[in-house]
Amino acid sequence: MANTFDKNISGKQFNFQGLEFGEQSGYHVDVKDEHGTRWEFRMLFTNENWNIQGEDLPGWIQSMAASLISAIKEHE
């Protein structure tokens, strides 16, 4: 897994930084919204699936799950 990459999705710049937790792997992801608020969350690969993990994330991030997963798959 490459350590870092950026991807513009729906006009927003998502920054991915690779993470490893023993046998589990994933990415720390951050993105700014239109108000300049930075949102941070993790994309973890567990049980053969990618999942978004974070607290109080806005719905627009959750709704972009498929695009985020596609960005990761394209990069790997």
Side-chain angles (χ1 to χ4, degrees):
M1 173 187 311
N3 283 341
T4 62
F5 71 97
D6 301 324
K7 180 74 174 183
N8 190 308
I9 304 171
S10 298
K12 292 181 177 38
Q13 183 72 28
F14 287 82
N15 307 300
F16 295 79
Q17 181 177 358
L19 301 171
E20 291 192 29
F21 307 103
E23 294 182 18
Q24 190 176 36
S25 62
Y27 290 89
H28 173 269
V29 184
D30 70 85
V31 62
K32 285 185 180 179
D33 65 16
E34 61 277 356
H35 303 292
T37 302
R38 181 169 302 277
W39 295 95
E40 298 183 34
F41 56 96
R42 291 184 176 152
M43 295 286 299
L44 299 178
F45 191 73
T46 55
N47 299 322
E48 307 287 326
N49 294 305
W50 283 101
N51 299 291
I52 296 176
Q53 293 187 348
E55 294 185 21
D56 300 322
L57 296 175
W60 62 267
I61 290 177
Q62 296 289 346
S63 69
M64 297 183 85
S67 296
L68 296 168
I69 292 166
S70 290
I72 291 169
K73 289 181 178 180
E74 285 175 16
H75 186 73
E76 293 183 334

